[in-house]
Amino acid sequence: MKRKEVVLFMTVGTGINPDSNEAGYKKLAKKLYSTLNKIYPNYVIFFASNVSKHTIKYIDALFELDGDEFNEGEDYEIVELNNIDDFNYCFESFEAKIWEYDYLNEKKYQIIMDYTSGTKTMSAAMACCGMLYSRDLISVGGDRSKGEVSAGTEIINYQNLYKIYDKRAIMRIRYNFNTNRFQPCLDVLNYIVDMNIHKDSLVDLCKGYFAWDTMDFSHAYEHLKSIDLNYMEFAEIKNELKKNLNALGIIVNSKSQNLKNCYILACIINNAIRRAEEYKFDDAIARLYRSFELIAQIRLEKYNLMSSDIDIDLLKEKGLRQEFIDELENMREDGKIRIGLIKDYHLLNELDDELGKYFMENESKIKDLTFKRNNSILAHGLDSQSKEDFDKFLELVIGLAKKLDKDMNKFLEETRFAKFDLKLDINNA
């Protein structure tokens, strides 16, 4: 038998009714023999029932007639299937051999799977197994004018499953997108070949949200506005995408600095929530801390004040207590007075601002939260934060954000990332 480095899996049916004579076995053997001679595999694995395995002895005889040998154990083996109508049983039998001849074998073979013969269940199970493991699937076609493929007309049909693989890739992309794993989405997109899938827009989608997740608002906006929202792939997230585009457009283009800052604040809060959904609570709380600080900074801008360079003369004009002003003066370095989060809120309180008053009324609770954050491994300590720590900090930040601007719920909604509706379990594959 001529050989190449190929292992051929073949389902074997009887090809005949149980009461038929040996002619039926011989007829099927000729068809299988024809396939073997067209592929010339290095080794063959026949999957057969107790009845249908008798067909294989006639294949042996056909090789002998051609002056060749076809020896069990050397050229082929028979895997007997005891339940040919049990899909899972058949699938696992095929799968076990894929593992044996590929993953557990030092010598790697090309595995070809012929699902032409056998019961309908056997054929379906082999086709599914081959698809799942990305193996070459073949079937035998030819002249069917007499109801079945006529001897001598057999043609090997290699099944191109690219559409199925691409659809499965889209499901993986949707799942990864929903879990904020945008780079793996781009990696999967590289393998899609179906021209009917709007690959460029999907790339823009993933690059856009990746940029947004890293606070690169300009690039996020450029990518997302390049998407054609009328494409079928975006039908279920079209409305969310429009809201997201509106938010990014304001951050990038609005002339109102306060409006920009409020949308950016909402982005950071939602970013923290995404990290918490990934159980990265230290990371999430670090973002909440920045949100907490930004709230104060945004409000100070209302008074033309910057925490990175406090204007003492302006504070005097506003009639702040001299004792507080002296305290700030003692913080001057390199000609500038820079204050941190706690002092920001103290200053707002001196300005008789609502946020400053809220801070002072809840200072003990807030300092406890910030103390835990400061001892986080991502701040100045070695402690790990919990979901409970995050939830308490989130409640504080959102409460303050809503006091900062009455439209904060709108900002938070428009900066919440779009999500696909994963209706099928296979989306988790």
Side-chain angles (χ1 to χ4, degrees):
M1 180 182 178
K2 298 177 182 178
R3 298 180 175 87
K4 61 181 180 180
E5 300 301 309
V6 171
V7 175
L8 177 63
F9 289 18
M10 301 186 82
T11 55
V12 181
T14 60
I16 57 173
N17 294 323
D19 297 331
S20 300
N21 55 33
E22 295 294 294
Y25 291 107
K26 292 180 180 180
K27 186 176 182 180
L28 177 58
K30 286 183 180 180
K31 293 179 180 179
L32 297 174
Y33 179 72
S34 175
T35 300
L36 292 172
N37 273 288
K38 284 180 169 64
I39 294 179
Y40 299 123
N42 177 263
Y43 195 71
V44 182
I45 302 174
F46 294 108
F47 296 90
S49 67
N50 182 55
V51 175
S52 62
K53 70 180 182 180
H54 299 298
T55 303
I56 299 165
K57 68 180 181 180
Y58 294 105
I59 299 176
D60 293 343
L62 290 170
F63 275 101
E64 288 182 12
L65 286 174
D66 276 350
D68 202 350
E69 293 182 350
F70 193 56
N71 300 315
E72 185 172 3
E74 181 181 345
D75 296 311
Y76 72 88
E77 66 180 275
I78 301 172
V79 176
E80 186 174 330
L81 300 179
N82 297 317
N83 194 343
I84 59 176
D85 293 313
D86 185 325
F87 182 93
N88 290 326
Y89 171 80
C90 292
F91 182 95
E92 290 173 355
S93 298
F94 306 145
E95 182 183 47
K97 285 299 178 181
I98 288 178
W99 277 83
E100 179 181 341
Y101 281 90
D102 194 336
Y103 302 105
L104 303 178
N105 198 316
E106 290 184 3
K107 187 174 184 179
K108 301 302 180 184
Y109 295 94
Q110 177 189 358
I111 295 175
I112 299 175
M113 306 179 78
D114 177 9
Y115 61 91
T116 308
S117 185
T119 66
K120 289 182 174 63
T121 301
M122 290 165 64
S123 296
M126 180 168 281
C128 288
C129 190
M131 181 194 72
L132 182 65
Y133 283 95
S134 300
R135 305 302 171 189
D136 290 326
L137 281 174
I138 65 170
S139 63
V140 179
D143 180 10
R144 294 184 179 274
S145 59
K146 296 181 180 179
E148 59 181 26
V149 176
S150 300
T153 69
E154 296 89 353
I155 299 173
I156 305 297
N157 295 315
Y158 280 82
Q159 303 299 328
N160 193 332
L161 303 180
Y162 77 91
K163 281 187 175 289
I164 295 174
Y165 292 137
D166 283 353
K167 288 183 183 298
R168 189 165 181 269
I170 291 296
M171 291 176 179
R172 289 175 60 196
I173 289 167
R174 287 157 60 92
Y175 175 76
N176 284 330
F177 181 88
N178 277 17
T179 54
N180 311 312
R181 299 175 69 239
F182 305 112
Q183 189 57 51
C185 290
L186 293 168
D187 294 340
V188 174
L189 277 165
N190 288 330
Y191 293 96
I192 288 180
V193 297
D194 188 349
M195 299 299 291
N196 293 317
I197 293 174
H198 299 102
K199 183 174 174 178
D200 289 345
S201 279
L202 285 169
V203 167
D204 276 319
L205 179 79
C206 299
K207 285 186 175 181
Y209 280 93
F210 177 81
W212 195 356
D213 204 37
T214 55
M215 301 299 171
D216 185 349
F217 302 116
S218 295
H219 280 102
Y221 182 62
E222 290 303 315
H223 282 297
L224 293 192
K225 76 177 184 179
S226 299
I227 298 170
D228 188 334
L229 297 179
N230 294 315
Y231 288 153
M232 180 185 67
E233 289 91 341
F234 309 105
E236 67 190 279
I237 60 171
K238 184 175 180 178
N239 291 333
E240 292 175 86
L241 273 171
K242 286 181 177 179
K243 290 178 182 179
N244 287 171
L245 269 170
N246 179 67
L248 285 170
I250 289 171
I251 291 172
V252 173
N253 299 316
S254 178
K255 294 180 180 179
S256 170
Q257 189 61 47
N258 182 71
L259 186 61
K260 279 187 179 185
N261 289 341
C262 284
Y263 269 101
I264 290 172
L265 170 63
C267 287
I268 300 173
I269 294 172
N270 275 317
N271 193 301
I273 292 171
R274 290 195 298 276
R275 298 293 84 80
E277 288 171 350
E278 298 167 1
Y279 304 99
K280 299 174 181 176
F281 298 115
D282 290 274
D283 202 352
I285 288 175
R287 284 158 168 75
L288 287 182
Y289 189 88
R290 173 58 185 135
S291 302
F292 189 25
E293 181 181 50
L294 183 57
I295 290 169
Q297 292 171 345
I298 293 172
R299 180 53 65 88
L300 284 173
E301 285 188 5
K302 173 184 173 183
Y303 301 98
N304 297 316
L305 292 167
M306 293 187 300
S307 58
S308 59
D309 188 8
I310 296 296
D311 186 340
I312 291 294
D313 292 334
L314 190 56
L315 298 186
K316 290 179 179 178
E317 289 177 15
K318 293 182 181 297
L320 266 67
R321 293 182 300 115
Q322 187 61 46
E323 182 183 356
F324 185 78
I325 292 175
D326 292 342
E327 187 179 338
L328 293 180
E329 274 290 1
N330 290 331
M331 299 173 64
R332 189 182 293 277
E333 289 184 5
D334 302 323
K336 289 185 178 182
I337 298 173
R338 302 176 182 88
I339 60 175
L341 183 148
I342 300 297
K343 214 63 178 176
D344 282 341
Y345 283 97
H346 284 172
L347 175 54
L348 286 171
N349 182 59
E350 292 291 327
L351 291 164
D352 201 30
D353 185 274
E354 178 188 14
L355 295 183
K357 290 179 179 179
Y358 180 87
F359 179 89
M360 299 307 294
E361 290 168 1
N362 297 275
E363 187 170 16
S364 177
K365 172 186 172 183
I366 292 171
K367 283 189 173 180
D368 181 59
L369 290 173
T370 55
F371 174 80
K372 287 185 176 180
R373 173 265 170 188
N374 289 334
N375 283 294
S376 165
I377 197 166
L378 293 184
H380 312 297
L382 294 173
D383 295 341
S384 293
Q385 306 299 291
S386 67
K387 183 180 185 303
E388 182 181 3
D389 296 327
F390 171 78
D391 289 340
K392 288 179 179 178
F393 212 141
L394 179 64
E395 182 182 8
L396 166 68
V397 168
I398 289 183
L400 278 168
K402 289 179 180 179
K403 290 180 183 297
L404 175 70
D405 196 292
K406 61 181 178 58
D407 290 324
M408 187 53 63
N409 279 335
K410 174 175 175 283
F411 304 149
L412 288 168
E413 181 185 354
E414 290 187 2
T415 56
R416 189 177 298 120
F417 281 12
K419 299 291 183 187
F420 289 103
D421 183 9
L422 303 181
K423 295 183 175 69
L424 302 177
D425 288 341
I426 196 169
N427 280 299
N428 296 316

